[in-house]
Amino acid sequence: VARLAQLCRALRLREAEGDEAGWAQAREEAEAARRELQEVVRPLREPGYREALRRKVERARKRRLRLQRRKQEAKAAKEEEAARAAEREAKIDQWRAKCIQEVEEKNREQELKAAADSVLSEVRKKQADTKRMVDILHALEKLRKLRKEAAARKGVCPPPSADEAFETQVESLKTLLKNRTELYEAEERALRVMLEGEQEEERKREMEKKQKKEREKLLQQKLEIDSKLFGDPDEFPLAHLLQPFRDYYLQAEHSVAALIQIRHEWDQYLVPADHPEGSSIPPGWVLPSLPTSDTWATAVR
């Protein structure tokens, strides 16, 4: 249309100038542009063309939206996979750190026990050396007594000063060995107390680990039961239709007044196990039974 308007202006200009040859050429070009424009506009005047064009544009729009949605879904799936991978890596790192910590603790305990055993072995070796020295001292006393008796039978008697010097030296050695024996016994008792303390600490740690596993097991069972009764809290947002029921059945965990009221209502129905008109309260949650028909199963899903 712009080209045709330009040719028309040129045609009027040639006419005003009196240029017949230029006017004729401009007229031919304008006619050609007009025919070309008529060919372009002609399909727009045909019946159903606008509807077909609208459907084509709608298909293009839907295709563009579909491609955008697929792109967004692929991006979301990629981000979700990256998040799961990061979570797996975090769990692996946590498990690896826990294993390394357990190995380090075990190695430290073994090193401490080995050091204590080594010191205890050294103390026992010192005690054995002390006992051997005591035995040697008794043997020397016995040997001197026998030699003194043999010399007396031959009429040879040592002076009293020699006996006093020998007795003084023996008593000094006995006192020294006795002190060493008491010292080594005290060291042995201290080491035994330390070893027993380490063993007690080891037993406590093992007991704590066992109790922790039991607590985690009970907590997992409670979460599974709550999930069956109230749904998985990770799958349902706070505004989910099950949230009021969760708030109602778990209100005793957050309010003492609600706990007292619920216990009061339950206590009204406490009966012995053999009561003909009632039954005792079950110790835990009463889980729903499995669906007995396809219709029920569909409703549950």
Side-chain angles (χ1 to χ4, degrees):
V1 172
R3 189 164 64 89
L4 182 60
Q6 183 181 2
L7 291 173
C8 290
R9 287 193 298 271
L11 185 63
R12 285 192 294 271
L13 181 63
R14 297 291 185 274
E15 183 179 4
E17 293 177 352
D19 187 359
E20 296 182 358
W23 183 85
Q25 184 179 0
R27 183 176 180 276
E28 291 179 358
E29 292 179 358
E31 287 292 335
R34 184 178 63 83
R35 289 192 297 269
E36 183 180 355
L37 183 60
Q38 287 178 346
E39 289 296 326
V40 173
V41 175
R42 183 177 55 82
L44 299 177
R45 297 176 178 176
E46 295 179 356
Y49 181 81
R50 289 186 178 181
E51 184 65 22
L53 186 61
R54 187 187 64 78
R55 290 196 298 269
K56 183 177 180 181
V57 172
E58 184 66 19
R59 286 195 299 269
R61 187 183 67 83
K62 291 182 178 179
R63 181 174 180 271
R64 185 168 59 254
L65 293 176
R66 187 168 57 252
L67 292 177
Q68 291 179 356
R69 185 171 60 253
R70 289 180 179 176
K71 185 177 180 181
Q72 292 176 356
E73 291 176 354
K75 182 179 178 181
K78 186 176 180 181
E79 292 178 353
E80 185 178 359
E81 179 62 25
R84 287 197 297 267
E87 184 178 359
R88 288 195 299 268
E89 290 294 333
K91 290 182 178 179
I92 292 173
D93 293 340
Q94 184 179 3
W95 173 80
R96 185 185 297 112
K98 183 179 179 181
C99 292
I100 292 175
Q101 183 179 1
E102 291 178 355
V103 171
E104 289 178 353
E105 289 179 356
K106 188 175 181 180
N107 290 336
R108 284 196 299 268
E109 291 172 0
Q110 290 179 353
E111 291 176 357
L112 182 60
K113 185 177 180 181
D117 291 340
S118 176
V119 176
L120 184 60
S121 176
E122 186 68 23
V123 171
R124 289 177 177 174
K125 182 179 179 182
K126 292 178 180 179
Q127 289 178 339
D129 293 340
T130 304
K131 186 176 182 301
R132 186 170 59 253
M133 293 174 65
V134 171
D135 294 338
I136 293 174
L137 188 59
H138 288 315
L140 288 175
E141 288 181 333
K142 186 176 180 180
L143 178 60
R144 189 177 186 282
K145 181 179 179 181
L146 293 175
R147 288 184 175 179
K148 185 178 179 182
E149 292 177 353
R153 286 195 296 268
K154 295 180 180 179
V156 178
C157 294
S161 58
D163 294 337
E164 292 178 0
F166 181 79
E167 292 295 336
T168 302
Q169 189 68 24
V170 169
E171 289 298 328
S172 176
L173 292 174
K174 284 183 178 181
T175 302
L176 177 62
L177 294 176
K178 181 180 179 181
N179 293 334
R180 287 190 177 183
T181 302
E182 293 176 353
L183 177 62
Y184 297 152
E185 288 178 354
E187 290 182 1
E188 183 181 7
R189 286 193 300 270
L191 289 173
R192 289 189 180 277
V193 170
M194 185 177 67
L195 290 176
E196 290 177 359
E198 289 296 328
Q199 293 175 357
E200 183 67 24
E201 290 293 332
E202 179 66 20
R203 286 193 293 269
K204 287 183 179 179
R205 284 192 291 267
E206 292 295 332
M207 182 62 67
E208 290 176 357
K209 290 180 181 179
K210 186 177 180 180
Q211 292 176 354
K212 183 178 179 181
K213 290 182 180 179
E214 291 294 334
R215 287 195 298 268
E216 292 177 353
K217 183 178 179 181
L218 293 176
L219 179 59
Q220 184 64 28
Q221 292 177 355
K222 183 179 182 299
L223 292 177
E224 292 177 359
I225 293 175
D226 291 345
S227 177
K228 292 179 180 178
L229 291 172
F230 309 115
D232 190 354
D234 296 332
E235 296 180 1
F236 299 121
L238 293 178
H240 194 267
L241 55 91
L242 290 178
Q243 187 61 31
F245 299 95
R246 292 180 57 87
D247 295 339
Y248 174 75
Y249 285 106
L250 300 179
Q251 59 180 331
E253 296 184 1
H254 308 286
S255 173
V256 178
L259 174 61
I260 295 175
Q261 178 63 26
I262 292 173
R263 284 301 305 270
H264 175 69
E265 294 175 357
W266 276 87
D267 292 344
Q268 293 178 351
Y269 300 96
L270 288 177
V271 295
D274 56 350
H275 198 279
E277 297 182 0
S279 60
S280 60
I281 298 175
W285 289 106
V286 180
L287 297 179
S289 58
L290 296 176
T292 57
S293 64
D294 296 337
T295 305
W296 186 6
T298 305
V300 172
R301 286 197 297 269

